[in-house]
Amino acid sequence: MTTTSVMNSRNAVSVIVHDKDADAIAAVLYAARNWSPQPAWTIPGGKAEPGEALDEAAARELKEETGLLVDPADLVLAHVIHVEQGWDRAGQFVLFVFATDIWTGELTNTEPDKHLAALWVAADRFPEPAFPTSVQALAAYHDGGPSFSRYGWSVATV
């Protein structure tokens, strides 16, 4: 008998959808919430479910937040961010940022209870205020990632 254990996931995913013809990125404007006191722009994403493959979670979250459809096989890892304190104040998590320029569908605010807008924005000028992790991920993407960064951690001294 084989048993499979499923780790309690503290992984998050997001997707940079880049319309290269228009040089635009899909973005969502989160409404103010307990972990974000003011509305803030971000790249679409969310939590990976326990036992869910990260690329599949990214494709699912993108569809849920924007209506855009991507094949997980068309997602490329662009950046990884180790975040010291999560949205739920329950500790650290790892954000896996994927990128693609292949999708179908129309960009739509499919979660108006959570987002104020879903828009194409200039790839080189992400709107403010923005989630710091989105800014970090987009900088890494433009620099040719994949790469690693941290958010919220104090600088280590060796």
Side-chain angles (χ1 to χ4, degrees), residues 124-138:
D124 63 347
R125 290 185 314 277
F126 205 66
E128 292 289 335
F131 281 17
T133 52
S134 290
V135 173
Q136 284 176 239
L138 286 167

Side-chain angles (χ1 to χ4, degrees), residues 33-111:
R33 308 183 77 106
N34 60 345
W35 45 266
S36 180
Q38 66 178 358
W41 288 95
T42 188
I43 50 179
K47 295 182 287 188
E49 298 299 329
E52 184 178 28
L54 295 172
D55 56 345
E56 292 174 2
R60 175 186 53 77
E61 284 288 344
L62 180 67
K63 178 184 176 188
E64 288 176 6
E65 291 200 341
T66 67
L68 297 177
L69 304 173
V70 296
D71 183 331
D74 291 328
L75 296 174
V76 175
L77 183 64
H79 194 64
V80 177
I81 304 172
H82 192 190
V83 180
E84 186 268 336
Q85 187 57 252
W87 60 91
D88 53 6
R89 307 311 271 161
Q92 60 185 289
F93 71 94
V94 179
L95 172 61
F96 295 86
V97 182
F98 294 90
T100 189
D101 61 359
I102 302 169
W103 76 94
T104 59
E106 295 295 322
L107 180 61
T108 306
N109 182 5
T110 57
E111 295 183 318

